[in-house]
Amino acid sequence: MIDFGALMNALLSQTGLISISLGNIVMILIGAVMLYLGIGKKYEPFLLVGIGLACIVTNIPGSGLAEPGGLFYYAYKGVELLILPPLIFLGIGAMTDFGPMIANPSLVILGAAAHLGIFVALIGAKILGFSLAEACSIGIIGGADGPMAIYTTVQLAPHLLPQISVAAYSYMALMPLIQPPVMRLLTTKSERRIIMKQPRYVSRLEKIVFPVVIIIIVNLFLPPVAPLITMLMLGNLIRECLLLDRMAETVSNSLLNVITLTLTIAIGSTMKADNFLTAQTLIIIVLGLVAFVFGTASGVICARIMNKISGGKINPLIGSAGIASVPIAARVSHKVGQEENRNNFLIMHAMGPNLAGVFGTAISGGIMLALLGH
Amino acid sequence: MMLSDDITGALSLSIIDFILSFVFIAGIGGILYLFPYINKLGEVKENKY
């Protein structure tokens, strides 16, 4: 006689139902909200679809996808072994024109000025009891550079990767809401109306030499972040040499999409209830916001100073673009400028500090990695 | 670790990092000022491709 009760019990014990916890259910709901925001509200779907789905799957007990041997586990290995962030940079390099940065070298300094937020968040995190390595990882959220935040965190505080990557990418998507009030508060109406001089023409030869020079400088002076910047510049060289069109197309589209999907799955797979549902997560999210606000403010203040020195030739709104997050921050500068003067096209001027911000974040992260002995 | 894991370490790291970031970025900016001179070396004709 078959004991159906025992059979059903055996079957049930093989499912996740028996061991699902309240934390798992909360995380599944968070994953579902991410999917809703990504698909329903079209709010960074490239990131939220992968992260949301992986978050749901990871919190279903027994699925095993995020456990050793599971597919998501190997996706995370790509992050842990620092393979995916440099490949993301390869794709970004292949789709980026560094001409605006080469054309206006004086604005490059804004790429460093807009990173005060990193250090405010770092000191804040230390005061709140995080270790120095954890505080550095939290601070780098203020660099508004997702791959760089992941790259630094994996080496300094890998257990904080889900919180930091979610905070970094969320705030990057929210920059059009976070930055404008700070920008308006720190500038006058007349400053926001300043129309800047057209940048000079940048030749093909300059655009080809630029990535080579940057690769040499970074490998020479900042080896900890050399993999990221080298790949960024390799992607850019592939684009600018005009001989590798098919490769540039593949790297900036197909490869970037595959790597982004793998990266988002990897991030989502780390969002386990016991790791994510903590008071630490809330503190990290608040500190991330502090970092973005201070970074925006310091960039705008530095641009105001440069405007005074130059005799009114620089629109201070481009200062906030130094926070990196290409091209979102540059678009925000342009949009706030157009609210005051519809004939003011700040986008190309803001792209210079915006691209410099990528290097600024990489420099800050590289110095942290070097000084903390990793 | 070269820095102490306390507030002093965090402050020291922040100050050093912020200043060095300016130095490195200013260095890159300085090199970019020289870029127009590259054009005197030659020209890459874009329509050649």
Side-chain angles (χ1 to χ4, degrees):
Chain A
M1 186 68 185
I2 298 168
D3 183 350
F4 278 102
L7 265 179
M8 288 309 289
N9 269 340
L11 195 61
L12 197 63
S13 68
Q14 292 295 309
T15 70
L17 283 173
I18 201 89
S19 50
I20 199 158
S21 66
L22 183 64
N24 291 136
I25 293 167
V26 172
M27 289 309 293
I28 289 169
L29 288 175
I30 289 174
V33 169
M34 284 180 163
L35 281 182
Y36 169 71
L37 291 173
I39 300 168
K41 294 285 180 187
K42 296 177 182 154
Y43 173 88
E44 295 293 322
F46 272 96
L47 305 170
L48 290 184
V49 170
I51 296 176
L53 193 77
C55 174
I56 291 173
V57 173
T58 300
N59 283 285
I60 298 174
S63 80
L65 276 172
E67 305 305 324
L71 189 63
F72 291 1
Y73 173 81
Y74 292 108
Y76 180 70
K77 280 287 167 196
V79 175
E80 194 180 25
L81 297 170
L82 301 173
I83 295 167
L84 297 184
L87 287 177
I88 291 268
F89 262 44
L90 178 72
I92 293 170
M95 61 194 288
T96 306
D97 175 12
F98 282 89
M101 181 177 159
I102 302 168
N104 212 336
S106 60
L107 300 181
V108 166
I109 206 76
L110 293 170
H115 285 91
L116 182 70
I118 291 179
F119 309 109
V120 172
L122 190 162
I123 293 165
K126 189 65 219 160
I127 291 169
L128 291 169
F130 288 91
S131 71
L132 191 54
E134 289 172 336
C136 285
S137 299
I138 294 166
I140 212 81
I141 296 172
D145 183 337
M148 188 64 217
I150 292 170
Y151 188 84
T152 310
T153 304
V154 166
Q155 293 180 75
L156 294 181
H159 55 287
L160 295 182
L161 182 67
Q163 292 92 327
I164 286 172
S165 48
V166 167
Y169 279 110
S170 302
Y171 286 133
M172 279 162 64
L174 288 171
M175 278 169 81
L177 296 175
I178 298 169
Q179 287 194 305
V182 182
M183 293 158 77
R184 288 190 202 105
L185 186 72
L186 295 171
T187 53
T188 63
K189 219 173 176 60
S190 59
E191 283 174 333
R192 293 198 291 273
R193 284 181 174 163
I194 293 172
I195 294 179
M196 292 176 68
K197 207 176 100 186
Q198 191 72 12
R200 74 171 177 88
Y201 167 76
V202 177
S203 73
R204 179 66 47 192
L205 183 59
E206 289 175 75
K207 288 183 180 180
I208 291 172
V209 171
F210 174 76
V212 179
V213 169
I214 294 292
I215 284 173
I216 294 169
I217 292 172
V218 171
N219 278 274
L220 203 57
F221 294 104
L222 285 167
V225 287
L228 278 182
I229 300 298
T230 302
M231 294 306 271
L232 179 75
M233 291 293 101
L234 173 62
N236 191 245
L237 187 59
I238 289 169
R239 169 199 161 95
E240 298 297 354
C241 75
L242 298 180
L243 291 168
L244 304 166
D245 285 352
R246 275 189 308 159
M247 197 183 280
E249 172 71 14
T250 305
V251 166
S252 61
N253 285 303
S254 311
L255 181 68
L256 188 58
N257 285 342
V258 171
I259 299 298
T260 303
L261 182 62
T262 314
L263 185 74
T264 54
I265 285 173
I267 293 167
S269 71
T270 60
M271 293 174 69
K272 291 174 183 153
D274 49 352
N275 187 21
F276 201 82
L277 293 177
T278 60
Q280 266 193 351
T281 302
L282 202 62
I283 295 171
I284 290 169
I285 286 170
V286 171
L287 286 169
L289 180 63
V290 168
F292 268 67
V293 169
F294 273 89
T296 303
S298 62
V300 171
I301 290 167
C302 184
R304 277 191 80 168
I305 295 167
M306 289 174 74
N307 179 46
K308 297 274 182 219
I309 294 169
S310 69
K313 289 178 182 165
I314 294 170
N315 189 318
L317 291 177
I318 65 166
S320 62
I323 202 170
S325 188
V326 180
I328 304 170
R331 278 197 207 129
V332 174
S333 300
H334 176 71
K335 194 169 166 282
V336 177
Q338 286 225 314
E339 284 169 10
E340 297 296 339
N341 180 355
R342 290 190 68 185
N343 298 317
N344 199 358
F345 295 91
L346 285 176
I347 186 83
M348 289 310 282
H349 303 288
M351 278 304 285
N354 204 188
L355 293 165
V358 175
F359 295 105
T361 310
I363 292 165
S364 289
I367 293 166
M368 285 173 187
L369 291 172
L371 290 179
L372 293 180
H374 289 262
Chain B
M1 200 186 289
M2 286 176 273
L3 293 157
S4 57
D5 196 349
D6 53 21
I7 300 290
T8 313
L11 277 169
S12 311
L13 176 62
S14 299
I15 292 165
I16 293 166
D17 200 332
F18 200 43
I19 291 169
L20 282 179
S21 294
F22 270 99
V23 171
F24 275 113
I25 283 281
I28 291 172
I31 290 166
L32 291 180
Y33 267 111
L34 302 173
F35 263 52
Y37 295 106
I38 292 171
N39 296 315
K40 293 187 176 172
L41 299 174
E43 186 184 356
V44 177
K45 288 191 172 65
E46 296 186 28
N47 55 8
K48 185 169 79 173
Y49 304 102

